[in-house]
Every structure is written in C-alpha cells, then in structure tokens.
Amino acid sequence: MKIIGTGSALPSLVVTNDMIVDILDTSDEWITTRTGVKERRILTEETLTDIAVEAAKKALEDANMASTDLDYIICSNLVNSYATPSLSSIIQGGIGASCPCLDINVACAGFVYALDISEAFLKIGKVKNILIICAEEPSRIVDWTQREISILFGDGAAAAVITKGDDLKAMHLSTTSTIDALYYHRKMEYNPFNTKNENTGPLVMNGKEIYKMAVSASTTEISKVLNDTGLSADDISYFICHQANLRIIEAIRQHLNQPESKFPHNIEKYGNTASATIPILLDELHKSKKLKPGDLLVFSAFGAGFTTGTCIIRWSGNNN
Ligand code: UT7
C-alpha cells in the first residue's frame, strides 16, 4: 500500500481552556501542564457527517481521484448519532461514491487498523483504491461536568486515500481485553421482556491506568517495529503518535532518546480526537510540506479495548 492523498476537517467552534474554566473547577495552567491541550473543536453548527465528508473530499482532491474510482471505504469511528446504518455508508452518499463501505471501532487505534485492513485487501487483489476516514465526536459521550475527562477531548475528522504500493514496512497490532479502564455504556431502549437494570452514563476513564498502559505499549511496540525492519529510531523522520496527552508523547520521545522535532504534535489545538488524531497530524505535516518522499514515518496509537497499533510507513508523496 501507499498513501497518495490526505485531508482533514475540524468543527468551527473553538473551545479554549479559559472557556472551560467558566463552567468547571479547573484552570488553563492545570490543563496545559497535565495534558498539553490549550483548545479543542466541538461540533455544534456542523454534524460529524459534514466534517467527515469535507475531509474525504479534500483527500480525494489531494490524490487527484474521483469518488467513483474508490473500491472500498473504511470508516473508523467510536460513536456517532446512528448505531445503524454505518457512518461509512452515510459518508459514501455525501461524496457520491458507490463502492462497498465498512465501519470499524478500534477506538483511538482505528487509523492504524484501517491501514492494516487496506494492506490485506490490496495484497489479495480485492481492490485498487481505498478511502480511510477517521471521524470522531467524543464530545457526544463525555460528561461536561467531569473535569478529569471532558478537558481532554475534541471532535475532528481526517481521511487518507490508499492505493497499491510498497510503503508499509512493518505493522504491529494488539488487543488486550480491558473494559474497565475506558468505556461508554450504551442505553437499552424500552423492552418489556428484558427488565435488567443496565448501568448507563457518560464515558468512564481511569486516566492513570490508561496513561501507564499507553507509555508502556507504545514504547514496546515502536521498538518491535524497528526491530522487525532492522531500522533504528534515528532512521525515522517523524514519530506521529496518538495525541492523547503531551506528557505521554514526551515519555515515548525520551524513551527513544530522539529530538523534539521528530515528535510533532497538535494536541494543543485539537485535544484528543480519538482515531482522527494521527491522520489530522499527518495531513498537517503533508500540507505544510514537512514530509519528503522517502521519509520513514512511525504511526503509534492506543485506545479503549485496550487496543494498540504501531506501523512504519515510507512516505512516497503524491507529486502535488
Ligand atoms: O485516547 C485515550 C484516552 N485517554 C487517555 O489517554 C488518558 C491518559 N491519562 C491522562 O492523560 C491523565 O491521567 C489525565 C490528564 C487524565 C489526568 O492527569 P493526572 O496527572 O493523572 O492527574 P490525576 O488524575 O492524578 O489528578 C491529579 C489531581 C487530582 O486532585 P488531588 O486528588 O491530587 O487533590 C484531581 O482531582 O488533579 C485533579 N484534577 C484536576 N484539577 C484541575 C483532575 N482533573 C482536573 C482538572 N483541573 N481538569
């Protein structure tokens, strides 16, 4: 596989830390030093579909490809306003494509898992062109009265067009069933035959546990994909890590003993947009012409499940 186009779209509403201080017992200083987040975008005027379609159209334009050329759409999403139909099928209509569509929910590791699925589909010759969209609206499931959780998240969408190529150098995925650390329990509709009392409520997170699991998993997995390829951390141009907490990114950087310039971040602008963080950052690096053909990139993500995904990709670019 290779990535030949990227695009991203964010909601227009910017919610700064100072705006949150007005509604919660917190401070810009606490949020900035503990997480790195300065502001985030929250969906209010637009819908998740609006920004997902916008990101997808930008990626197609970047790849110089029509939506009718797509053979498959994979959408990574952890929650949206529809349990069914799939978000990918809704986005398909928005971009005027006619190919099969698939949603995956691997929480924040969704982009890396979607790349893995793409590689497999391309290898067996099932398809030629795939659109991956990561579209996330975590603001829908956090309780905005809980200061430990709400300050972290933001909404956003990003897409990538994938086609045949030889750019995937290594991939490592894992899932370790760990529900209590991070979950959102969906409410059951009225059912006279099932009177179980279900617990319902907003997103629940054990921040400290996730933090420790994240640093340990990402450092282990990055070492693993480097070992698999015989590369060293010095050979990598950029480590594009899941933007969950700047301190987590910094811990991974220090473990690998690499300069700050190789660990780009945008968590300060968007917070944690779940599976969209890595493709949004990739799009920003690409559009600001920071990526050069031949650059080796590491993507490393972790999320609810507990899931992890880390890969090494060579950046070919798209001649734009
Ligand atoms: O995509 C994966 C999603 N999740 C993550 O990646 C989460 C990973 N974990 C984290 O990012 C961090 O654990 C948090 C940012 C969630 C919390 O940071 P922490 O350094 O682990 O703080 P803490 O939970 O130990 O809380 C320290 C103190 C507590 O007060 P006491 O008990 O020391 O008096 C909290 O009540 O900070 C308090 N606190 C706050 N204070 C001001 C917690 N949230 C806030 C807040 N503002 N927003």
Side-chain angles (χ1 to χ4, degrees), residues 3-16:
I3 300 172
I4 56 163
T6 66
S8 60
L10 281 306
S12 50
L13 180 69
V14 178
V15 175
T16 63

Side-chain angles (χ1 to χ4, degrees), residues 2 73 77 80 85 108 128 137 192 207 216 267 287 296 299:
K2 65 176 177 179
I73 297 174
N77 167 261
N80 70 82
C108 305
K128 219 170 132 229
E137 191 180 5
S216 161
I267 187 170
K287 300 289 167 60
L296 290 170
F299 301 152

Side-chain angles (χ1 to χ4, degrees), residues 23-143:
I23 52 168
L24 284 178
D25 178 18
T26 187
S27 65
D28 174 48
E29 201 261 336
W30 193 96
I31 302 172
T32 305
T33 53
R34 295 289 179 128
T35 71
V37 182
K38 295 294 287 181
E39 57 189 44
R40 70 288 290 145
R41 304 294 185 93
I42 302 294
L43 281 164
T44 49
E45 295 302 312
E46 314 88 341
T47 66
L48 184 60
T49 307
D50 291 337
I51 61 167
V53 166
E54 186 186 336
K57 284 182 175 170
K58 285 179 178 169
L60 286 165
E61 192 188 339
D62 188 38
N64 200 16
M65 188 180 285
S67 60
T68 46
D69 292 331
L70 290 171
D71 302 308
Y72 224 99
I73 297 174
I74 303 172
C75 178
S76 165
N77 167 261
L78 58 89
V79 68
N80 70 82
S81 52
Y82 288 93
T84 192
S86 67
L87 187 55
S88 51
S89 61
I90 298 170
I91 296 166
Q92 186 222 44
I95 61 172
S98 54
C99 58
C101 299
L102 170 72
D103 275 18
I104 60 168
N105 181 350
V106 203
C108 305
F111 184 62
V112 182
Y113 272 71
L115 290 174
D116 188 59
I117 296 169
S118 301
E119 171 80 350
F121 280 5
L122 287 162
K123 260 194 173 146
I124 59 168
K126 184 177 170 64
V127 296
K128 219 170 132 229
N129 302 317
I130 300 172
L131 178 70
I132 296 175
I133 306 160
C134 298
E136 301 285 15
E137 191 180 5
S139 70
R140 170 178 287 278
I141 55 171
V142 302
D143 177 345

